[in-house]
Amino acid sequence: MNRTLVVASLLLLTGCSPAEAPAPSSTTPSDKAAASACTRVVRSIEAKDSPIGDATTAMASIDSTDPAVREAGQRLGSAAKEAGDLWVKNDPTVDAGPANQRLADARQGMLTACTNLFGEYPWPFTRKPAPTPSS
């Protein structure tokens, strides 16, 4: 009974009827390019990958319909190129710290754009299916 009153109160406050209540997020997002780029950036951050993979993430974001994801992807691509060049050269006399910081900031910017688009991580489309038991 109390739960019904709370739901009814929330619907009245937000101006929604039960039929207009937002649907739960889908496991198949409409912006597949953004979903791909967002999944890649999360994996890159979690695995602490080299900057080379971030170029692929940036390429995936190009076809996104979300302007914030596209823009974040462009920044990520530039930062990944700079950090990647230093990573490949592996010159001990060059301080890669500033380039690596710009890459970390670009990754975070991409993650923020993804969170703004899809909500808090983990997103439904990044969940892996349960492994099938083997006999």
Side-chain angles (χ1 to χ4, degrees), residues 25-26 28-39 64-66 69 110-126:
S25 60
S26 170
T28 307
S30 60
D31 190 341
K32 292 184 187 316
S36 174
C38 292
T39 301
S64 173
T65 58
D66 185 75
V69 170
M110 182 71 159
L111 187 58
T112 299
C114 294
T115 300
N116 290 341
L117 180 61
F118 296 120
E120 291 296 319
Y121 180 80
W123 305 297
F125 55 86
T126 59

Side-chain angles (χ1 to χ4, degrees), residues 2-14 16 18:
N2 286 339
R3 185 177 293 182
T4 304
L5 289 174
V6 169
V7 170
S9 299
L10 288 173
L11 290 173
L12 287 173
L13 288 173
T14 60
C16 293

